[in-house]
Amino acid sequence: MSAFSAIGEQREIEQEEYTPGIEPQPTWCPGCGDFGVLKALKGALPEAGRTPDETLTVTGIGCSGKLNSYFNSYGFHTIHGRALPVARAAKLANPGLEVIAAGGDGDGYGIGGNHFMHTARENHDFTYIVFNNEIFGLTKGQTSPTSPKGHKSKTQPHGSAKEPVRPLSLSLNAGASFVARTAAVNPNQAKELIKEAIEHDGFAHIDFLTQCPTWNKDAKQYVPYIDVNENDDYDFDPTNRDEAAAMMRETEEALHEGEVLTGKFYVDEDRPSYQQEKQQIGEMPEEPLAERYFDDSYEWERSADMFIDDHK
Amino acid sequence: MTDDELIWRIAGGSGDGIASTSQNFAKALMRSGLDVFTHRHYPSRIRGGHTYTEVRAAPEDVTSRGDGYDFLLALGDSFARNPQENAYYGKEEIKPLSENLDDLREGGVIVYDSGLLDADEVPNFEQRAEENDWHVFPIDLRGMAREMGREVMRNTAGVGVTCAIADIPVEAIEELMADAMPEKILEPNVEILNAAYEKVHEEYDLTGIEVSCPEGEHEEEQVLVNGSDGIAYGAFDEGCRFIAGYPMTPWTEVFTIMSKNLPEVGGISEQVEDEIAAAALAIGAAHTGVKAMSGSSGGGFALMSEPLGLAEISETPIVLLEAARAGPSTGMPTKPEQADLEHVLYTSQGDSNRVVFAPADPAEAYDHARRAFQIAYEYQIPSIILYDQKLSGEYRNVPASHFDREPNPDIGKVLTEEEIAEAPHEPGGKFHRFRHEPEDGVSPRSVPGQKGGRFLASGNEHNEAGHISEDPDNRVAQVDRRTRKLEAIREDLNGDGLNVTYGPEDADYGVLAFGSMVGTVEEAVDRLNDDGESVKALSVGELAPYPETEVREFIESVDRVMVVEMNSTAQFRGLTQKQLGEYGPKLSSLLKYNGNPFEPAEVVEGFHNTLAGEEATEHQTTFVPAGGD
């Protein structure tokens, strides 16, 4: 029997399996958008046919980082902004795992911005959900990288002088092969997009608009949202990079103008994932590296046989 | 030993093949039966700038660069800039000759490339040569190389000249070149090697030159390795198949060796965006059940402080390397120092624990790397190998059999799925991965993908299933359990031979050293004892947990102790006093921090100035040898 018998298990999966049976109950505030991510994720994974034991959620710090405390899979609650490098290695070490990375807008676009850029560039094969509420929540309401220009907070009492990060454009230009935006207020779209992201072979970035009723009272509740893939007024081809880029720009500029545009903005099914690229150049094994440590019959190579002759 | 050895220095411009030429030369001498040791000095520049490598060869064990040297091969610096005397980097062109004269012994040999170097530009050259009885050979190596093929072969010509003068059979070099070079370049190189050798015999009178290469014989086959090779192969044999890193001198060397070798066996190497990511990747791979490592040098390791703490509290086994160099901040990137000791011991917030090893030579580097992985995976704790720029790049011969060990892919207490099924779980299904009870502090773990083993790993304090918890009882139980590991590790490491005593057991004085200074100290101890002193040394190979019993016994067995280290704040002595809680008046320091490692003579002199000199006080006399260049 494989040491990882959960991986690839084919069976009917109940959504409840992803809900821990007992405490802890979420400590998120009533009305928090983070509940929407949790719900969408619990809906998407069974539909994508992935079991809790073959799923690894890797999170950063903040309200978003608590996601995997309330979610019944393998989890790694890491450090602020560092979910992505942990997730990358886990996926490289055992590509059979369903890896979901998650973090907030400060976590992902601020402190972890460099990791975000490089993960997208390399096109690692996993899903990254950024809980974007345009505010630092758990540290009690400071301006975040996605807060709009002029946003006032205790740490920026005169209003932010900075343009907000444009996550969709950033992600597209960094090299992500799947870029979408959804909102907690539309659980069905969110679930569908996460499912598609899971099934996508490459780095799938979802900017997930999550309202913060406690610290970002001014922020709209991301309604009315419009699904650009469903609405005929927004005619663009998400497989066309230029059209996708134009649509993203429009969306990002419109976010605070009363229009919340969501949907799948870009998808490139042709670009090989990072692990495929690495296998192509002979830098990654065909079989999952992690399995080897459980295979008693594997003959481990020794430096004495492999390299020492060069030193004689 | 000094009468029966050769210390050969090849000097030239950075990027001119000084390192590779000297490495091959050292290998040839090793093959001829000698023990060898190389010392490399280079600037933080890519091309041009004064660089040299010394090769010391003797029939018996050589553990340091020695004092001074007796054969200079000064090649031209083909990338030399700033010919003006007062330029920022000084006058570069003549440096291969001018910068190396201070350490050349009386009666020594100078071969310089007269095609590129003009001895007239060196102040008082002739006078100094005469006073020191140097034998000077101006030979147009560049001209010769140009004539016979390509200018780069002037290095080979220089080696040919060396063989003729130092009486080394040229066949030894030829044989090595045949092994190392592709056919196309082998032929012209062999040709120029022999031509240079013949030319010296034909054109020069070699009588009266006392510099020659000794003869020796090894009982068994040897290999030429440096500290970086040792660490990389130790990791490899422990089943490490994942490395992530960011280049930084001098850690890059291990990273390079692993990156070259891992793909051959289906391992994975990742060069990533920064050191925080690098250590985080190692954590991600280790969490998933793979043996993983990362590493850096001073400033890069500083960035790893945060993931280091994560590995500790989430009990993810990783091995980190810290190849120290002179700091603080960027410091002197290519110069050795042992000033990162406290950084490695105490970095990261909270009561965080780690295990720290400090190998002294390439053979130990291999052993310590293996032990670092064993401890990390057995106890689910980060372990760190602290070494430095000196050990990283210095080559020594080691019996090939030292590497002839069995691999060990054991990843520690990871349960099988059957065992997981029997283990306690939360009612909701999460496995109790962080159980409070284990005596040795190590709770068995599962890895993602195993059926029934799901849990939450967290940088937050957590309960047995990994859920974030601020419950006071749980907090104390978790902290105590993680701390208990250290006691178990202490027991485990006892008597492991990591701390080595050298010299007569009943000696009056003791010298304490760690890491790359040990070989130099041992040679100094030999000389002191030969001169009628009574001295022994203790090489401390594990810095955390500190080997309290062994160090205490050592200190108590002598009258006074001198602690030798390459930093200005006596960090190692401070650690020793902190750990043992006494002996302040008994310990004195010998410190050096000018960018060059100690030479044995400095340790000998330091001994006379500290231990055998004025009585030591609470505020110790710190003898600091005069600065170098």
Side-chain angles (χ1 to χ4, degrees):
Chain A
M1 191 171 91
S2 159
F4 299 106
S5 71
I7 294 177
E9 194 187 353
Q10 300 294 316
R11 62 177 175 84
E12 195 75 19
I13 303 150
E14 299 293 327
Q15 198 167 315
E16 288 68 42
E17 291 180 44
Y18 285 94
T19 307
I22 57 153
E23 294 279 353
Q25 294 304 312
T27 55
W28 293 323
C29 306
C32 175
D34 293 3
F35 287 103
V37 187
L38 186 61
K39 185 169 191 293
L41 196 58
K42 282 180 184 172
L45 276 161
E47 286 192 18
R50 305 307 301 252
T51 66
D53 284 338
E54 65 182 327
T55 301
L56 173 67
T57 51
V58 187
T59 57
I61 297 294
C63 295
S64 61
K66 295 182 177 181
L67 173 80
N68 43 17
S69 293
Y70 316 137
F71 190 73
N72 203 7
S73 70
Y74 277 96
F76 205 144
H77 179 216
T78 65
I79 36 183
H80 202 204
R82 318 297 171 205
L84 289 177
V86 173
R88 270 148 61 179
K91 186 71 182 181
L92 287 169
N94 195 343
L97 295 173
E98 187 57 55
V99 175
I100 312 278
D105 42 285
D107 186 274
Y109 305 145
I111 188 168
N114 196 25
H115 306 311
F116 176 50
M117 179 171 88
H118 287 277
T119 309
R121 170 171 85 98
E122 290 165 9
N123 200 30
H124 286 269
D125 179 22
F126 61 82
T127 301
Y128 182 38
I129 302 170
V130 182
F131 299 42
N132 183 3
N133 58 10
E134 305 180 0
I135 196 82
F136 281 160
L138 203 54
T139 51
K140 300 192 191 287
Q142 297 81 15
T143 309
S144 100
T146 50
S147 299
K149 195 172 177 181
H151 178 89
K152 288 186 179 177
S153 70
K154 282 180 188 166
T155 50
Q156 308 234 267
H158 309 295
S160 168
K162 301 172 190 181
E163 284 293 330
V165 163
R166 315 268 164 128
L168 306 177
S169 301
L170 186 67
S171 170
L172 174 79
N173 288 315
S177 55
F178 182 104
V179 185
R181 172 175 260 173
T182 185
V185 289
N186 186 4
N188 289 331
Q189 183 204 34
K191 184 189 78 179
E192 281 306 315
L193 283 176
I194 292 176
K195 178 168 169 272
E196 275 192 59
I198 287 170
E199 286 163 353
H200 175 73
D201 200 5
F203 185 60
H205 166 222
I206 297 177
D207 184 65
F208 204 120
L209 299 169
T210 53
Q211 69 278 7
C212 178
T214 305
W215 297 111
N216 212 5
K217 290 190 171 64
D218 294 342
K220 297 178 302 295
Q221 300 294 296
Y222 303 117
V223 281
Y225 75 89
I226 296 163
D227 185 333
V228 292
N229 306 120
E230 299 291 322
N231 191 309
D232 292 341
D233 293 346
Y234 300 90
D235 178 32
F236 77 109
D237 174 7
T239 64
N240 181 310
R241 200 181 171 90
D242 291 338
E243 287 187 31
M247 193 61 220
M248 285 178 188
R249 262 200 310 280
E250 191 183 328
T251 303
E252 287 170 331
E253 277 160 22
L255 182 62
H256 298 286
E257 308 296 327
E259 272 195 321
V260 181
L261 305 184
T262 61
K264 186 166 72 182
F265 286 88
Y266 181 64
V267 59
D268 180 356
E269 297 289 0
D270 298 329
R271 185 179 172 199
S273 70
Y274 183 62
Q275 71 194 69
Q276 288 168 335
E277 300 271 18
K278 251 180 115 70
Q279 269 172 357
Q280 190 69 33
I281 60 166
E283 279 198 350
M284 177 144 168
E286 295 288 333
E287 298 298 318
L289 184 53
E291 271 188 11
R292 204 183 298 173
Y293 292 86
F294 294 87
D295 179 359
D296 292 338
S297 65
Y298 185 82
E299 300 247 345
W300 288 81
E301 302 86 352
R302 307 183 319 145
S303 65
D305 304 323
M306 303 282 301
F307 318 118
I308 289 299
D309 277 351
D310 289 346
H311 297 270
K312 284 178 179 168
Chain B
M1 193 198 323
T2 47
D3 297 334
D4 198 15
E5 65 175 1
L6 173 71
I7 307 183
W8 178 79
R9 183 185 286 195
I10 178 173
S14 210
D16 274 338
I18 303 296
S20 57
T21 305
S22 59
Q23 200 184 321
N24 285 332
F25 185 69
K27 201 188 252 190
L29 295 181
M30 175 189 81
R31 284 184 176 187
S32 79
L34 294 165
D35 278 10
V36 293
F37 184 101
T38 74
H39 165 73
R40 190 171 168 218
H41 174 105
Y42 62 109
S44 182
R45 283 167 61 170
I46 298 169
R47 308 205 122 178
H50 177 235
T51 178
Y52 68 78
T53 303
E54 269 177 22
V55 178
R56 186 183 188 192
E60 44 191 286
D61 201 20
V62 277
T63 62
S64 86
R65 64 183 293 197
D67 303 306
Y69 69 104
D70 40 36
F71 194 122
L72 171 65
L73 173 62
L75 301 171
D77 180 346
S78 63
F79 304 102
R81 283 170 288 187
N82 304 330
Q84 319 88 301
E85 199 81 54
N86 57 356
Y88 186 66
Y89 286 112
K91 187 168 163 48
E92 298 268 278
E93 283 178 333
I94 197 63
K95 278 187 175 177
L97 189 53
S98 64
E99 292 291 297
N100 292 289
L101 299 178
D102 288 350
D103 299 332
L104 185 61
R105 292 171 179 168
E106 240 180 69
V109 170
I110 298 174
V111 174
Y112 72 88
D113 187 347
S114 58
L116 277 155
L117 300 168
D118 181 1
D120 290 343
E121 290 181 28
V122 181
N124 310 321
F125 182 72
E126 270 183 38
Q127 187 195 333
R128 291 183 73 179
E130 206 167 304
E131 280 169 11
N132 288 292
D133 195 21
W134 291 333
H135 304 270
V136 182
F137 297 85
I139 300 176
D140 183 5
L141 300 169
R142 180 177 69 158
M144 209 170 159
R146 272 187 177 168
E147 216 170 274
M148 301 189 65
R150 293 173 56 218
E151 193 168 322
V152 289
M153 297 192 321
R154 64 205 165 91
N155 295 8
T156 307
V159 172
V161 171
T162 302
C163 289
I165 298 172
D167 202 15
I168 299 166
V170 80
E171 296 76 32
I173 309 282
E174 253 180 63
E175 190 190 304
L176 188 88
M177 292 199 311
D179 286 355
M181 287 180 178
E183 198 72 34
K184 211 172 85 187
I185 58 166
L186 175 65
E187 207 175 305
N189 270 287
V190 169
E191 203 181 319
I192 196 167
L193 180 78
N194 282 299
Y197 185 84
E198 297 302 330
K199 185 183 167 81
V200 173
H201 278 294
E202 281 163 19
E203 296 182 13
Y204 294 92
D205 175 15
L206 300 176
T207 51
I209 296 174
E210 282 171 10
V211 174
S212 70
C213 194
E215 285 178 10
E217 200 182 325
H218 291 128
E219 281 172 16
E220 55 169 315
E221 191 173 28
Q222 305 286 308
V223 290
L224 188 70
V225 286
N226 65 20
S228 300
D229 294 322
I231 291 172
Y233 296 155
F236 188 86
D237 286 348
E238 263 328 290
C240 172
R241 292 294 182 271
F242 190 100
I243 191 167
Y246 186 89
M248 185 165 181
T249 303
W251 123 270
T252 310
E253 203 151 341
V254 170
F255 188 29
T256 309
I257 298 165
M258 294 300 275
S259 300
K260 175 170 173 267
N261 294 332
L262 281 184
E264 279 188 52
V265 296
I268 296 173
S269 169
E270 280 285 286
Q271 182 183 323
V272 296
E273 58 271 24
D274 58 36
E275 287 86 350
I276 308 174
L281 265 101
I283 289 172
H287 178 73
T288 316
V290 167
K291 278 192 164 174
M293 76 193 286
S294 183
S296 192
S297 295
F301 188 80
L303 292 180
M304 294 181 171
S305 164
E306 191 193 27
L308 176 68
L310 175 66
E312 206 262 325
I313 195 168
S314 67
E315 301 182 62
T316 312
I318 56 165
V319 173
L320 297 178
L321 310 184
E322 220 274 43
R325 61 193 219 186
S329 192
T330 311
M332 296 199 284
T334 63
K335 302 288 180 257
E337 219 169 71
Q338 294 180 304
D340 289 356
L341 172 59
E342 290 181 346
H343 178 47
V344 163
L345 289 172
Y346 307 124
T347 189
S348 191
Q349 71 273 31
D351 287 328
S352 85
N353 288 310
R354 76 289 317 255
V355 183
V356 181
F357 296 88
D361 57 49
E364 271 193 20
Y366 175 85
D367 299 339
H368 285 211
R370 295 203 66 159
R371 209 70 185 98
F373 271 94
Q374 288 159 13
I375 294 290
Y377 280 78
E378 193 174 337
Y379 293 93
Q380 303 170 5
I381 191 171
S383 56
I384 299 172
I385 301 169
L386 174 64
Y387 65 116
D388 63 31
Q389 187 270 352
K390 179 177 177 320
L391 177 57
S392 159
E394 65 192 17
Y395 285 87
R396 282 176 72 169
N397 59 298
V398 176
S401 61
H402 189 82
F403 296 91
D404 191 13
R405 315 277 179 86
E406 286 312 301
N408 173 33
D410 183 21
I411 53 172
K413 283 193 206 169
V414 176
L415 300 180
T416 62
E417 292 187 343
E418 291 78 5
E419 289 167 332
I420 291 170
E422 302 290 313
H425 284 69
E426 299 276 274
K430 277 190 180 165
F431 156 65
H432 281 195
R433 182 257 179 274
F434 300 102
R435 298 185 66 187
H436 295 152
E437 317 80 52
E439 276 286 314
D440 62 357
V442 186
S443 317
R445 62 178 182 136
S446 60
V447 298
Q450 285 185 302
K451 192 172 264 183
R454 59 189 179 275
F455 69 96
L456 183 65
S458 181
N460 286 66
E461 189 57 274
H462 43 262
N463 66 17
E464 292 186 303
H467 289 300
I468 298 171
S469 166
E470 296 186 351
D471 174 75
D473 293 336
N474 173 71
R475 164 69 177 174
V476 171
Q478 292 290 7
V479 171
D480 287 353
R481 182 177 57 76
R482 291 195 295 266
T483 309
R484 281 207 300 280
K485 290 182 188 179
L486 268 292
E487 293 158 28
I489 292 167
R490 168 75 284 137
E491 291 284 303
D492 200 341
L493 292 176
N494 275 347
D496 241 16
L498 291 162
N499 312 298
V500 185
T501 310
Y502 185 84
E505 207 174 298
D506 59 351
D508 298 335
Y509 296 111
V511 181
L512 213 52
F514 78 98
S516 71
M517 271 345 303
V518 169
T520 308
V521 162
E522 288 179 355
E523 184 170 348
V525 164
D526 281 341
R527 288 197 209 173
L528 286 163
N529 286 313
D530 287 349
D531 292 346
E533 301 284 357
S534 173
V535 195
K536 63 179 175 180
L538 177 64
S539 156
V540 179
E542 31 161 340
L543 300 168
Y546 196 77
E548 288 170 25
T549 313
E550 284 172 270
V551 180
R552 189 183 299 280
E553 278 172 10
F554 178 81
I555 294 175
E556 287 183 350
S557 73
V558 292
D559 295 340
R560 296 239 294 276
V561 174
M562 177 171 79
V563 188
V564 178
E565 54 190 312
M566 284 191 285
N567 60 60
S568 74
T569 49
Q571 297 182 15
F572 182 47
R573 195 185 83 195
L575 172 69
T576 302
Q577 286 180 208
K578 179 189 166 198
Q579 291 294 328
L580 303 182
E582 53 183 331
Y583 304 123
K586 211 170 174 178
L587 307 180
S588 64
S589 280
L590 185 64
L591 309 173
K592 187 176 180 183
Y593 45 90
N594 70 354
N596 295 313
F598 280 105
E599 291 171 24
E602 292 170 326
V603 178
V604 168
E605 193 187 347
F607 174 86
H608 292 304
N609 276 292
T610 56
L611 295 199
E614 293 294 303
E615 190 158 327
T617 62
E618 185 79 42
H619 302 286
Q620 301 305 322
T621 311
T622 58
F623 174 72
V624 182
D629 35 340

